[in-house]
Amino acid sequence: MAVNGMYFLDCGVLTCDKTFITYKQGFGELVDIPVVPVLIDTDDGYVLFDTGVDPAGLILPDEVWGVKQSFIKQFTEENDIRVQLKKVGVSPQDIKYVVNSHFHWDHTGGNRFFDHSTIFVQKSEFRFGYYPDSAFEGSYIKRYFDHPLNYKLIEGDYEVVKGVYITTSTGHTPGHQSLVVHLQNECAVLAGDAVYGKECIEKNIPPGNSWDLSRGIESLNKLQHIAKRNNGHLYVTHDPNFWKEYKPAPFCYKQNARLIEHTEK
Ligand SMILES: [Zn+2]
């Protein structure tokens, strides 16, 4: 009963105004941010944290991506979640559990491929995804998640398998959740969009496009506290410099990922 390793999946690059990352700081400055779902290999099956950008947009960009095309800086067939999983010999049918950090379009684009999986989402996020407040509806593309999938709606923290548990981190969206992964000698806190950049940790600032700024700050503090208490570390996958620090799949992080101790599967 243990976590065997963790893989960072390269699912493209978005570009946005820096104020998306750091609330009210950096107007007019464009930054490139990676999209990085995370695969966790455990004795109890594979767990996938988020499903990335919808690859069908490569063929039908106007219909699938629509106005979001302006955010997509780089996305090729290589960045398809299925191709990324294949790099480690895994297919969507092998994924036992999917955890959606939230229902924004760059985290749910591949949801429909996981019709064999149990998909965990907070009930509050599920509700909001279908009926978002008008100021936030642009971030939700209903047809990405509106499929007859095995959604398991949860309210609060939840243990997915031994060593992998969901913890709520609301603020960016009403039902945002993060994933805590107990590697061999490290507690990896996968922040999702509760933390957009390392700069947000240093300056204690929430994501720019927060649904609730105060709760965003609380979640930022909560996640840092979980990491600190467990002698762990926060992983900020949208950080513009993420790929300077970490290696994409097929590299497998078996323990302290910060030390780039990796082995190929
Ligand atoms: Zn995102």
Side-chain angles (χ1 to χ4, degrees), residues 35-221:
V35 176
V36 188
V38 184
L39 175 69
I40 300 119
D41 177 8
T42 82
D43 286 345
D44 296 312
Y46 285 105
V47 181
L48 179 66
F49 188 47
D50 286 331
T51 65
V53 172
D54 190 340
L58 286 170
I59 298 158
L60 297 166
D62 292 340
E63 288 86 339
V64 177
W65 292 338
V67 294
K68 296 302 174 196
Q69 285 176 79
S70 62
F71 287 99
I72 299 175
K73 170 108 178 196
Q74 184 228 306
F75 191 89
T76 67
E77 284 176 16
E78 183 80 358
N79 303 121
D80 183 324
I81 186 80
R82 295 165 297 179
V83 175
Q84 287 294 311
L85 290 173
K86 209 173 176 184
K87 283 175 181 285
V88 286
V90 173
S91 77
Q93 287 72 35
D94 299 325
I95 304 295
K96 196 166 178 185
Y97 305 107
V98 173
V99 177
N100 277 133
S101 62
H102 60 309
F103 265 6
H104 278 179
W105 67 280
D106 56 319
H107 298 260
T108 50
N111 271 25
R112 67 183 180 282
F113 304 131
F114 299 93
D115 53 359
H116 285 61
S117 316
T118 298
I119 305 180
F120 292 101
V121 61
Q122 293 289 323
K123 186 190 274 184
S124 52
E125 185 69 15
F126 195 81
R127 285 175 174 160
F128 197 81
Y130 277 96
Y131 301 100
D133 293 347
S134 57
F136 301 98
E137 65 188 3
S139 299
Y140 293 92
I141 301 180
K142 189 175 155 187
R143 65 180 176 279
Y144 287 8
F145 53 80
D146 185 26
H147 297 281
L149 300 168
N150 184 22
Y151 284 114
K152 184 170 173 63
L153 307 185
I154 55 174
E155 296 173 274
D157 292 5
Y158 190 92
E159 185 179 67
V160 181
V161 296
K162 189 88 180 154
V164 179
Y165 79 88
I166 290 165
T167 194
T168 56
S169 48
T170 184
H172 178 58
T173 65
H176 192 282
Q177 56 188 4
S178 301
L179 200 65
V180 181
V181 180
H182 289 279
L183 297 170
Q184 280 170 29
N185 65 351
E186 192 203 23
C187 169
V189 180
L190 307 176
D193 285 11
V195 189
Y196 252 155
K198 289 177 99 176
E199 191 182 340
C200 303
I201 304 173
E202 288 149 18
K203 297 179 180 171
N204 209 33
I205 36 181
N209 58 343
S210 290
W211 165 74
D212 186 311
L213 288 167
S214 304
R215 293 190 203 189
I217 289 283
E218 283 175 16
S219 293
L220 182 62
N221 291 331

